[in-house]
């Protein structure tokens, strides 16, 4: 399709919206892209090529989908808003490699999709995400262990910074540790509000999360490690010893945490926000060991 005929041309977006009398739904986070440079950056950032199957979350009127369809072998686009189906039928009508599914992405079996459309091989996930469910979508994808090569998504700029941050940054938190356990983040582009219709109230960024084949650190108990991480950042101004001791999610006493910190060569007054992912993994090992020693006593 000629570039000026695509929906990235704001005139085309307005034309389609008027033709179908479409009403933007705030509850679905509907802010459609109207900037071809940003769309090209997303495709390049994700490294979409002619062999790829791409899962697009929330195609909207099909703006990003048109670019994906021209770059990928197959695009499966999952849209919750039924009223967009006739629109997508028109805007994607000239592409024979796109399948639109009218579903809530949080309820779909993504492993089955990867099996059906990509023989279970790793897929790429590309989206201008609905911001109200950014974290459940990304964490849901990681935790489901669907084979994924990378997740390249538009998110709120602050959220992108939090995903990419490391110890010592004010943006470092439980989301940073969780995302970095599963993937290597890289901010591809910052995107101003005027690239969307309607304009959102926040700035945005495109982030690529390249999934690790196996986690970069070893923990004997993933769930325990994430409980420790949540507890550490829930009370981030407290010392780690107090934050973990106060947590209703954990049953560890102060002496046990102090002994673990000493064994790791960390100060007894260290805060959770100073620990690396590797140190959280190591700490989970000591806590688990301490708990099993208690049971054996
Ligand atoms: N991809 C289009 C673009 O870039 O212009 C639209 C992006 S818009 C920010 C987010 C899209 O996600 C909307 O079309 C919205 O209806 C859809 N959406 C919201 N919640 C969803 C869900 N739970 N499952 C699938 N799609 C959803």
């Amino acid at each position: 399709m000629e570039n000026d005929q695509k929906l990235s041309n704001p005139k085309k977006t307005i034309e389609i919206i008027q033709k179908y009398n479409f009403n933007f739904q705030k509850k679905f986070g509907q802010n459609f892209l109207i900037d071809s440079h940003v769309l090209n950056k997303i495709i390049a950032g994700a490294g979409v090529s002619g062999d790829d199957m791409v899962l697009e979350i929330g195609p909207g009127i099909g703006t990003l989908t048109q670019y994906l369809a021209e770059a990928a072998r197959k695009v499966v686009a999952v849209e919750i808003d039924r009223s967009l189906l006739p629109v997508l039928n028109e805007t994607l009508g000239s592409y024979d490699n796109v399948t639109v599914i009218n579903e809530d992405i949080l309820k779909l079996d993504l492993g089955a999709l990867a099996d059906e459309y990509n023989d279970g091989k790793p897929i790429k996930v590309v989206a201008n995400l609905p911001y109200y469910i950014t974290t459940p979508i990304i964490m849901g994808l990681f935790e489901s262990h669907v084979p994924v090569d990378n997740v390249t998504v538009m998110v709120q700029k602050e959220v992108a910074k939090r995903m990419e941050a490391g110890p010592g940054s004010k943006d470092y938190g439980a989301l940073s540790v969780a995302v970095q356990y599963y993937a290597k983040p890289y901010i591809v582009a910052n995107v101003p509000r005027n690239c969307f219709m309607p304009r959102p109230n926040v700035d945005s960024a495109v982030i690529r999360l390249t999934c690790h084949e196996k986690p970069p650190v070893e923990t004997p108990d993933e769930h325990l490690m994430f409980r420790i991480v949540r507890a550490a950042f829930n009370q981030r101004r407290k010392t780690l010893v107090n934050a973990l001791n106060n947590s209703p999610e954990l049953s560890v006493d102060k002496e046990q945490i102090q002994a673990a910190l000493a064994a790791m060569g960390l100060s007894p007054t260290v805060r959770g926000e100073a620990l690396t992912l590797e140190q959280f993994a190591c700490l989970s090992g000591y806590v688990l060991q301490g708990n099993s020693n208690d049971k054996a006593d």
Side-chain angles (χ1 to χ4, degrees), residues 28-33 56 58-60 79-80 104-105 128 132:
F28 289 143
Q30 291 176 339
N31 299 93
F32 300 157
L33 272 167
E56 187 193 3
E79 174 56 60
I80 197 169
D104 178 345
I105 190 69
N128 168 17
Y132 73 107

Side-chain angles (χ1 to χ4, degrees), residues 23-55:
N23 288 316
F24 289 94
Q25 299 228 45
K26 230 179 164 170
K27 69 167 179 187
F28 289 143
Q30 291 176 339
N31 299 93
F32 300 157
L33 272 167
I34 46 164
D35 187 300
S36 58
H37 300 289
V38 174
L39 287 152
N40 283 322
K41 276 188 189 166
I42 297 175
I43 303 295
V48 178
S49 78
D51 292 333
D52 288 325
M53 181 216 141
V54 176
L55 166 67

Side-chain angles (χ1 to χ4, degrees), residues 13 22 25 27-34 39 42 56-65 78-82 84 101-107 126-133 137 154 196-197:
T13 284
F22 177 73
Q25 299 228 45
K27 69 167 179 187
F28 289 143
Q30 291 176 339
N31 299 93
F32 300 157
L33 272 167
I34 46 164
L39 287 152
I42 297 175
E56 187 193 3
I57 300 161
I61 56 174
T63 315
L64 175 57
T65 329
V78 179
E79 174 56 60
I80 197 169
D81 185 354
R82 239 183 127 67
L84 286 165
I101 300 177
N102 179 213
E103 250 298 355
D104 178 345
I105 190 69
L106 296 175
K107 296 191 179 145
V126 181
N128 168 17
L129 284 180
Y131 293 173
Y132 73 107
I133 43 171
I137 290 178
M154 180 87 69
F196 302 86
M197 187 187 295

